[in-house]
Amino acid sequence: MKTLWISHASLPYLKPLSAFILLSLTIVSSHADTYNIDSTHANARFAIDHFGTSTNTGGFYNLTGQLQYDPDQRTGDITLIIPINSLNTGNKAFDITLKSADFFDVEKYPAAYFKSTQWRFSSDRKNPQLTQVEGNLTLRGQTHPVTLIATKFNCYLSPILKKKVCGGDFKATIDRRQWGMSKYTLLGMTEKVDLAIQIEAAKQ
């Protein structure tokens, strides 16, 4: 079995669920290549309706983790570590509100985790395309299934890193109440949150 790569920067976020990450990472194929997530090209952004008027947006940055991918076997696996304290909406006061116990409760839950369970591909035998990634999102200590729709996924030889890089864009819509964030829903702030996740990972 290959070893999970962990950067020093991600160590503080691993403590609450380190056992979960280490035990859940499995090799999906003996021929699958292993890629480390490039934190400078990995983020998770969100958008939520603001009482039927404008849309509030923000994001989490410097994601870490590992990707395994075998296009020939149409298999993949990904583990993402999302540092909640990296939250940035462009409004410091709003950031403080979202980091509070009413929402992400960052002091108690400094990181969120996504672990895939199934990768799905198109039926094109010659050039199968990744269509969606099913997995579990652990946020505020609660885990629920989430399906990420792949809007783009590709691999290329990076002229800068001199190695193969794979990455893409994914989207999903979740109900924040499932993770214990129901604040203001009775006042009209929607429970639905749109997610947009971007990743790139370099082959090891």
Side-chain angles (χ1 to χ4, degrees), residues 11-86:
L11 287 176
Y13 308 112
L14 284 173
K15 293 180 180 179
L17 288 176
S18 59
F20 165 79
I21 295 296
L22 293 173
L23 292 175
S24 63
L25 183 63
T26 57
I27 303 302
V28 296
S29 168
S30 61
H31 301 292
D33 291 326
T34 299
Y35 301 78
N36 288 338
I37 301 296
D38 178 358
S39 61
T40 63
H41 289 90
N43 58 74
R45 290 161 288 129
F46 62 87
I48 183 171
D49 180 79
H50 187 239
F51 299 104
T53 55
S54 58
T55 300
N56 282 335
T57 62
F60 304 96
Y61 302 89
N62 300 314
L63 278 59
T64 56
Q66 194 172 81
L67 165 72
Q68 293 186 21
Y69 178 49
D70 185 344
D72 295 329
Q73 297 297 320
R74 301 188 188 187
T75 56
D77 185 67
I78 188 169
T79 299
L80 285 177
I81 304 166
I82 306 169
I84 299 301
N85 201 45
S86 68

Side-chain angles (χ1 to χ4, degrees), residues 11 13 53-54 58 66 80 86 88 91 95 100 117 123 130 133 138 154 160 164 169-170 175 185 188 192:
L11 287 176
Y13 308 112
T53 55
S54 58
Q66 194 172 81
L80 285 177
S86 68
N88 187 348
N91 182 324
D95 291 349
S100 72
T117 55
S123 58
L130 178 64
V133 174
T138 299
N154 188 39
I160 298 175
K164 188 177 180 181
D169 296 335
F170 302 84
D175 186 332
T185 54
K192 299 298 183 182

Side-chain angles (χ1 to χ4, degrees), residues 4 6 9-22 24 44 60 63-66 78-84 104 106 108-116 135-146 148 174 179 195 197:
L4 174 65
I6 303 172
S10 66
L11 287 176
Y13 308 112
L14 284 173
K15 293 180 180 179
L17 288 176
S18 59
F20 165 79
I21 295 296
L22 293 173
S24 63
F60 304 96
L63 278 59
T64 56
Q66 194 172 81
I78 188 169
T79 299
L80 285 177
I81 304 166
I82 306 169
I84 299 301
F104 290 103
V106 68
K108 191 173 182 179
Y109 305 103
Y113 307 88
F114 178 80
K115 174 71 175 68
S116 68
N136 292 309
L137 175 63
T138 299
L139 178 65
R140 286 174 53 97
Q142 300 182 47
T143 302
H144 297 286
V146 170
L148 303 179
I174 63 173
W179 289 271
L195 300 179
I197 299 176

